[in-house]
Amino acid sequence: MPCTVICGGFWGDEGKGKIISYLAIKEKLDFCVRTGSVNAAHTIWYEGKRYALHMVPGGFVHEKCRLLIGAGSNVEVAQFLKEVEETNVKNRIGVDSQASIIEEKHSAQDKASAHLKGLGTTGRGVGPAIEERVRRTAKIARDVPELKPYLADVAAETNNAINGGKNVLLEGTQGLMLSLFYGTYPYVTGRDTSASAICSEAGVGPTKVDNVLVVLKSFMTRVGTGPLPGELPKEEAMKRGWFETAAGTGRDRRSAPFNFELAKKAVMLNGATQVAVTKLDCVYPKCKGARTYNDLPSDAKQFINEIEKQTRVAAALIGTGPEALDIIDRR
Ligand code: IMP
Ligand code: MG
């Protein structure tokens, strides 16, 4: 594995959390570096309990994994402390001393702005906090007394780990179609969400990355406003079993069938070496719980083949249910 970047191919919520938790356990992950911010929630099932993590890296499920939050991230201190408690990772988590801080005023600004409301933001204050960072008036982690025990040099630790041959995962958030540069502007988030940006936020140069794993869900979903090609009415989404609500905000997720053109775009812009296809069982119910490729019905195999043919990368992991181990591992 040595250094792998995980990123979303669509509008977030592709199931990155599940893939990260699987790899953390399977590969005995040494380091997991989270990027992005609290607008994202990664859903992880661990020991029968569901976690929707906004701050703590998904690699927490492997108890020996060092957890880091990169300098390019935005930290909401109360949420961070709450999750550290909940996941019991106090002794193995670090925050880069230059990570930005989201303050209450940022979330108030996010919610009060008619413009941001029109974009359907999560209201967590991430956009306004990034604006403040750009103005160079933002507080950073080293200015916050509660973060003192956690301060770290994430880039140095991560590069040392990579150079020492450790298993390192850089955890992206959201998806390529929400990228400030490559997404459906202006209906996007306040940062680039591509693999390159994830590396930059973590402090890892491009030559240090071995693998870029783009996560694609078997159908597409989007929360908030903005275009969604092939969007289905809610009733149809419910009938197909594709209707979801957001892990972070509880809002309805809109849904649409898988789009090969967008998948190709995500693979190109992220420089994907592999893709993971999640929630195959939601489109092909007979797949539920399958653990080997040969257990898949032929229409599901055909779908996977088509993804590989069009994107020209291997579908290395295939999700067939919510449990971390409901996965077909073809690596
Ligand atoms: P913001 O990131 O809160 O500014 O929201 C901008 C857009 O990105 C809105 O459409 C949000 O719904 C969307 N968004 C932000 N983070 C996530 C995520 O983690 N999953 C899905 N959508 C997200
Ligand atoms: Mg999510």
Side-chain angles (χ1 to χ4, degrees):
M1 151 150 212
C3 181
T4 295
V5 181
I6 293 217
C7 39
F10 295 136
W11 283 271
D13 310 315
E14 300 90 354
K16 290 180 291 296
K18 179 218 162 82
I19 297 292
I20 293 162
S21 60
Y22 171 77
L23 289 175
I25 292 167
K26 182 87 186 167
E27 303 290 328
K28 299 192 170 46
L29 197 65
D30 297 304
F31 283 76
C32 187
V33 187
R34 176 130 179 185
T35 61
S37 191
V38 287
N39 40 9
H42 288 172
T43 304
I44 286 170
W45 286 89
Y46 178 58
E47 292 182 339
K49 199 174 155 202
R50 179 181 176 276
Y51 296 83
L53 298 177
H54 296 267
M55 290 262 76
V56 166
F60 91 91
V61 298
H62 176 56
E63 280 159 22
K64 290 191 176 132
C65 185
R66 169 81 166 146
L67 308 171
L68 295 168
I69 297 180
S73 307
N74 289 269
V75 176
E76 193 195 87
V77 180
Q79 183 74 30
F80 169 80
L81 295 172
K82 186 175 133 210
E83 289 182 13
V84 167
E85 190 77 21
E86 215 175 79
T87 52
N88 193 24
V89 295
K90 200 170 176 176
N91 299 323
R92 56 185 174 110
I93 191 163
V95 178
D96 195 278
S97 59
Q98 298 222 116
S100 284
I101 300 301
I102 302 184
E103 297 177 72
E104 252 171 64
K105 67 175 179 190
H106 296 130
S107 150
Q109 285 162 4
D110 201 349
K111 289 177 185 145
S113 157
H115 170 65
L116 292 176
K117 215 182 237 164
L119 302 182
T121 70
T122 61
R124 300 298 297 250
V126 181
I130 294 172
E131 282 180 44
E132 183 143 24
R133 177 91 185 220
V134 174
R135 276 202 302 273
R136 282 143 288 179
T137 50
K139 268 193 198 162
I140 58 175
R142 66 171 180 244
D143 302 325
V144 178
E146 295 98 301
L147 291 181
K148 200 159 182 205
Y150 302 100
L151 294 185
D153 183 340
V154 170
E157 271 197 56
T158 308
N159 281 282
N160 281 338
I162 295 169
N163 294 341
K166 305 274 190 209
N167 279 339
V168 176
L169 191 147
L170 309 183
E171 175 176 348
T173 59
Q174 308 161 304
L176 200 261
M177 304 306 154
L178 286 173
S179 163
L180 180 61
F181 302 152
Y182 306 105
T184 52
Y185 188 87
Y187 301 101
V188 295
T189 191
R191 63 190 269 270
D192 180 19
T193 51
S194 70
S196 314
I198 295 163
C199 291
S200 160
E201 289 185 13
V204 171
T207 55
K208 299 286 182 184
V209 173
D210 303 285
N211 252 317
V212 176
L213 179 62
V214 170
V215 183
L216 301 169
K217 191 155 67 180
S218 301
F219 55 100
M220 307 191 298
T221 57
R222 156 162 223 177
V223 282
T225 47
L228 175 62
E231 181 167 1
L232 300 170
K234 184 172 167 181
E235 306 71 60
E236 178 61 23
M238 287 176 120
K239 220 160 72 193
R240 296 190 188 194
W242 296 0
F243 178 71
E244 301 177 341
T245 51
T249 56
R251 293 183 291 177
D252 288 3
R253 287 183 187 155
R254 301 151 59 199
S255 65
F258 190 92
N259 183 306
F260 288 95
E261 288 311 309
L262 294 180
K264 283 196 297 202
K265 181 175 168 179
V267 162
M268 173 187 75
L269 282 158
N270 287 306
T273 55
Q274 296 176 324
V275 296
V277 180
T278 57
K279 293 207 167 187
L280 191 64
D281 55 303
C282 295
V283 177
Y284 304 97
K286 281 192 191 135
C287 297
K288 189 149 188 94
R291 306 263 166 112
T292 66
Y293 188 72
N294 282 335
D295 288 342
L296 296 179
S298 61
D299 48 358
K301 280 183 184 158
Q302 230 164 46
F303 176 60
I304 298 292
N305 284 343
E306 191 61 23
I307 292 175
E308 294 188 322
K309 196 172 124 202
Q310 296 219 24
T311 62
R312 294 162 175 268
V313 292
L317 296 168
I318 301 170
T320 56
E323 294 286 322
L325 295 176
D326 284 337
I327 216 158
I328 300 170
D329 189 341
R330 302 165 76 211
R331 292 173 302 156

